[in-house]
Amino acid sequence: MLNSLFSPREKNLFQEGLTLSKLGRYADALSFFDQALELSPDYQEALVNKGKALTNLGRYSDAIKCFDRTLELSPRNIDAWFCKGLALFYQEKYDQAVYYFDNVLSTYPDDVNTWLEKGSALFYQDKYEESIRCFDRVLFLDPGNESARCNREDAMNALEKKSLQ
């Protein structure tokens, strides 16, 4: 794991940031991720988790910069692909978000969360049939997934309403 390449100081700063993030203290976590990144600018786990904290603070453009830097260092970093897709989704850039979700699914075709987010992005683009297929995939992989069930129902209703117009 890349984490083993970093000093105990960098790892401790990263771990403190991670702990604060898990507690929902995203603004506090940022300072620890920043300190770790000052010592090691290429610390991918710190970059991704800084991006996640920024996303949770609604600072999507800043988060995307973290994910882009991670992808420069490691083009197949699946976590960065997914998180960038989420940040784009929150910016209502749904077509771009789908692109990033599709990249995740090309490596992990059974990732329930990615299918769920892709389905939501397609729904917001009024691509109801594609959205339903995504939610169906989630329900195939996780039959008890209530979010997929509700989202599928919403997409079916929207599709029916659209066909009546």
Side-chain angles (χ1 to χ4, degrees):
M1 173 181 252
L2 289 173
N3 197 15
S4 63
L5 301 174
F6 301 102
S7 75
R9 172 93 174 118
E10 294 153 343
K11 290 180 195 176
N12 288 338
L13 289 166
F14 169 74
Q15 286 300 324
E16 185 64 28
L18 202 56
T19 298
L20 290 167
S21 282
K22 288 179 182 177
L23 295 172
R25 295 176 50 194
Y26 305 112
D28 295 332
L30 285 177
S31 73
F32 288 93
F33 294 136
D34 283 337
Q35 289 176 65
L37 289 164
E38 280 178 31
L39 296 170
S40 293
D42 296 343
Y43 195 162
Q44 292 177 40
E45 289 173 292
L47 279 166
V48 169
N49 282 282
K50 177 181 178 180
K52 290 177 181 180
L54 289 164
T55 298
N56 282 306
L57 292 169
R59 295 173 52 191
Y60 308 122
S61 295
D62 293 331
I64 288 170
K65 290 176 188 171
C66 292
F67 303 134
D68 284 342
R69 177 66 183 135
T70 304
L71 292 169
E72 286 173 20
L73 296 168
S74 178
R76 294 304 313 153
N77 186 307
I78 297 300
D79 203 16
W81 280 96
F82 179 79
C83 291
K84 183 172 180 179
L86 275 182
L88 290 163
F89 177 90
Y90 295 139
Q91 287 183 316
E92 299 180 8
K93 296 177 180 176
Y94 304 119
D95 57 332
Q96 292 176 45
V98 168
Y99 169 81
Y100 284 88
F101 297 144
D102 280 341
N103 274 283
V104 173
L105 293 169
S106 71
T107 303
Y108 294 103
D110 293 339
D111 187 82
V112 169
N113 289 329
T114 305
W115 280 111
L116 197 56
E117 296 300 338
K118 179 181 176 182
S120 295
L122 291 165
F123 176 87
Y124 286 115
Q125 294 178 81
D126 299 334
K127 297 179 179 179
Y128 305 122
E129 291 169 348
E130 290 178 66
S131 177
I132 291 165
R133 284 193 291 273
C134 291
F135 299 133
D136 284 344
R137 181 69 180 164
V138 172
L139 291 168
F140 173 78
L141 296 168
D142 180 11
N145 191 303
E146 196 57 35
S147 292
R149 191 171 316 288
C150 291
N151 290 348
R152 185 185 191 286
E153 184 177 322
D154 290 345
M156 290 293 290
N157 290 335
L159 183 60
E160 183 179 324
K161 187 176 181 179
K162 183 179 177 181
S163 70
L164 295 175
Q165 295 176 350

